[in-house]
Amino acid sequence: MEIFFQQIVNGLVQGSVYALVALGYTMVYGILGLINFAHGEVVMIGAMLALSSLNAMLGWGMPPLLALPLSLAFTMLGCMALGYGIERIAYRPLRHAPRLAPLITAIGVSIVLQNLAMMVWGRQYHAFPQMIANNTHTLAGAIINDVQIIIFITALAIMAGLMVVVHRTRLGRAMRAVAEDQHAAQLMGVDINRVISITFMLGSALAAVAGLMVSANYGLAHYYMGFLLGLKAFTAAVLGGIGNLRGAMLGGLLLGLIESLGAGYIGDLTGGFMGSNYQDVFAFFVLIAVLVLRPSGLLGERLAERA
Amino acid sequence: MTINQKSKPLLAVLAIVLLLLPFFIDALLGRGWVRIADFAMLYIMLALGLNIVVGYAGLLDLGYIAFFAVGAYCYALTGSPHLASAFPLLFPHGIHLSFWVVLPLAALLAGGFGVLLGAPTLRLRGDYLAIVTLGFGEIIRIFLNNLNAPLNLTNGPQGISRIDPVNVAGAPLNATQQILGVTLPSVHLYFYLFLAFTALVVFTSRRLEKSRIGRAWMAIREDEIAASAMGINTRNLKLLAFAMGAMFGGVSGALFAGFQGFVSPESFSLMESVMVLCMVVLGGMGNIAGVILGSVLLALLPEVLRHGVVPLQQALFGKMIIDPESLRMLLFGGALVVMMLYRPAGLLPSRVRRRELDTDEVAETV
């Protein structure tokens, strides 16, 4: 039973990060109907920028409590610029092209980002600096540390903030209008290009936070971390119903739970034939299962249409 | 295209040039480049296989390398002593089936995997399909990496070595052979073997393209609903496209395993899938000549970079600043973006594709 609670805790923490990244996918999909394949790489760049800026600031002797928000702000700005650039270069010129064209440019962009990151930061794993005394607590037999608590609470707070932005502000109304019907929104005086750019920037800011969180949680960052994380977050978005913000959050948390419980129990289930090294397979099976059984996801309304 | 009287001499000249090519390459550039040419032909076969799925049927498959892996491991397991370690009682020396027995099996098995992947994904829209196939490719790789315990099936990340070479008429191709007084080193022999297979693949692709099936695939690519309204069984035809493409991949995988004598999961990463896709996109989706051009260009590019960029950097800066591997990937990524923006139909576009992409009507609404 202790394993069970431990896996629940791990799953929720990991899931909240998935949810943040999944929101980026789902917002872009909701508005443009396009899978932003390069989103995972934005998370990776976020992790790398956060790491470098933190190390630099700590190196200057800045107190950790000042360095962390500063580097977070720097990282978010950097990722927002990146998200804006990706949209302008790879997606905007192809807005009316066949569906596969922007997907292929997105793959190209992710390859470029990955290799640029490899040139700048090298192939090695980077250790995340430890800044707070990472106390551990025991909760119903499960161990949880301060970093995990901070990650979980921050993620929930950011999601709540995003809901407020989308549902209570003028900008949010414009975003929902564009998602509903681009042409009609344009006729009502919404500046579509601006809304789309802002959506990309919002998603990238969330990705920046997620990147910081992932590397803080595992203590590591790597130029290749974005690919798998992006794929899993996309799965989370599909699981919850792509295009649906609440769905992305639910899907993220659920996927985190499925993964960690799956990894915890797969050994028992298969009689020791498969171990926790199959953890990454779960997300893909979930993805395929959802797309086959309920393509609209848990909370989605729209059905997957034709190609 | 039917071969008319006019193109016959041209074809004969081409055949002679290709037959003499390994000797030219050997004399001018060295034997290493013949090996590179061998790999280029493997890539041509792979790209033509993917071209069936992406180019003809319009289904974006990002996990194509998985079928290559299936073919390669199929021959690696049945043509090496490896299985002796997993089933010492059943196969004390491994299986060691002849390559020619395994080849159809590998094709069938890969085709089966193609259907397995295709069946649940048929109803999906193009971009979903891309992600699912990508996931499928990763699943295959994760399994290859981890199926070494508790039963050592794939030998994990170390891969399987000591795979038997391909035998033709009782002569193993991994040794120098004398044929009609001509001395042919191993890479030349494999060159001719691959050339024969490539010719077969080109021929099959060509016949498929002009056949009823090929036209049906293109109809599905252009407009699936209209195609099914015209009485095309879209489900079966899409499955067939997946199966055919996968079979080509399986065949080239088996050839790869026999040629290398060694396979490991590392050769079947996502980047390889992307690279094959790049070949198809760069050359011109749906056009055989374009795909061949794209494959040759991209297969040679890393070698050219290795031989050109490294000395150039050393001459200019005195040291290596960008290693050729990441430069290659950077160029790939950049090329994908630039191609899609400025020449979406590829270097040698197929006529139908060009027509399709030139229409500036809004392709579809969400």
Side-chain angles (χ1 to χ4, degrees), chain B residues 89-111:
Chain B
L89 292 175
L90 211 53
F91 310 113
H93 308 292
I95 300 182
H96 297 288
L97 282 176
S98 156
F99 176 80
W100 303 103
V101 177
V102 180
L103 190 69
L105 292 180
L108 276 181
L109 192 69

Side-chain angles (χ1 to χ4, degrees), chain A:
Chain A
M1 219 49 200
E2 265 141 48
I3 299 177
F4 181 74
F5 283 118
Q6 185 66 60
Q7 297 297 357
I8 295 256
V9 166
N10 294 348
L12 283 177
V13 173
Q14 185 63 31
S16 59
V17 177
Y18 289 159
L20 281 186
V21 185
L23 280 170
Y25 279 105
T26 230
M27 283 197 296
V28 167
Y29 194 92
I31 285 185
L32 283 178
L34 166 131
I35 298 173
N36 180 10
F37 197 83
H39 194 58
E41 307 310 328
V42 179
V43 181
M44 178 272 294
I45 297 281
M48 290 304 201
L49 283 179
L51 200 98
S52 301
S53 58
L54 263 181
N55 277 332
M57 288 181 201
L58 293 176
W60 299 331
M62 211 180 265
L65 279 180
L66 182 65
L68 193 63
L70 272 182
S71 106
L72 186 61
F74 169 74
T75 308
M76 284 169 84
L77 283 177
C79 283
M80 283 162 89
L82 184 64
Y84 177 78
I86 291 174
E87 198 268 331
R88 280 309 292 268
I89 293 169
Y91 297 140
R92 189 171 295 182
L94 293 172
R95 210 171 279 164
H96 299 298
R99 196 176 274 284
L100 293 189
L103 195 67
I104 292 175
T105 53
I107 296 171
V109 168
S110 17
I111 295 175
V112 168
L113 287 178
Q114 232 176 60
N115 283 281
L116 280 179
M118 192 170 82
M119 286 179 188
V120 176
W121 285 286
R123 286 171 183 273
Q124 69 274 31
Y125 285 84
H126 293 270
F128 199 80
Q130 195 183 353
M131 285 169 302
I132 52 171
N134 199 0
N135 298 315
T136 55
H137 313 274
T138 312
L139 191 84
I143 299 164
I144 184 165
N145 60 37
D146 285 342
V147 171
Q148 288 178 311
I149 295 175
I150 295 173
I151 288 177
F152 190 65
I153 292 176
T154 318
L156 290 187
I158 290 177
M159 289 186 234
L162 184 74
M163 292 307 278
V164 171
V165 169
V166 172
H167 288 286
R168 292 272 182 276
T169 65
R170 212 179 143 76
L171 170 70
R173 200 187 306 151
M175 285 167 69
R176 282 178 292 141
V178 175
E180 191 96 356
D181 188 329
Q182 258 187 46
H183 297 287
Q186 195 163 26
L187 290 175
M188 297 300 131
V190 178
D191 183 349
I192 294 189
N193 283 336
R194 189 172 148 266
V195 170
I196 290 174
S197 286
I198 291 178
T199 307
F200 267 85
M201 282 153 69
L202 263 181
S204 304
L206 295 183
V209 181
L212 180 74
M213 286 176 169
V214 176
S215 45
N217 190 20
Y218 289 120
L220 288 173
H222 186 230
Y223 79 95
Y224 199 61
M225 65 190 273
F227 165 64
L228 205 55
L229 187 70
L231 208 56
K232 287 178 178 175
F234 173 75
T235 304
V238 172
L239 175 62
I242 194 149
N244 183 317
L245 293 183
R246 287 191 190 85
M249 300 176 197
L250 178 71
L253 292 175
L254 265 181
L255 186 71
L257 287 176
I258 292 172
E259 237 186 42
S260 78
L261 287 176
Y265 287 101
I266 186 173
D268 297 340
L269 286 176
T270 57
F273 183 73
M274 291 161 90
S276 55
N277 43 1
Y278 286 94
Q279 183 182 6
D280 294 337
V281 173
F282 289 110
F284 300 127
F285 279 124
V286 168
L287 179 64
I288 294 174
V290 173
L291 287 175
V292 171
L293 300 175
R294 195 178 157 80
S296 54
L298 294 175
L299 300 182
E301 299 114 39
R302 264 180 300 185
L303 280 168
E305 291 145 35
R306 64 194 191 84

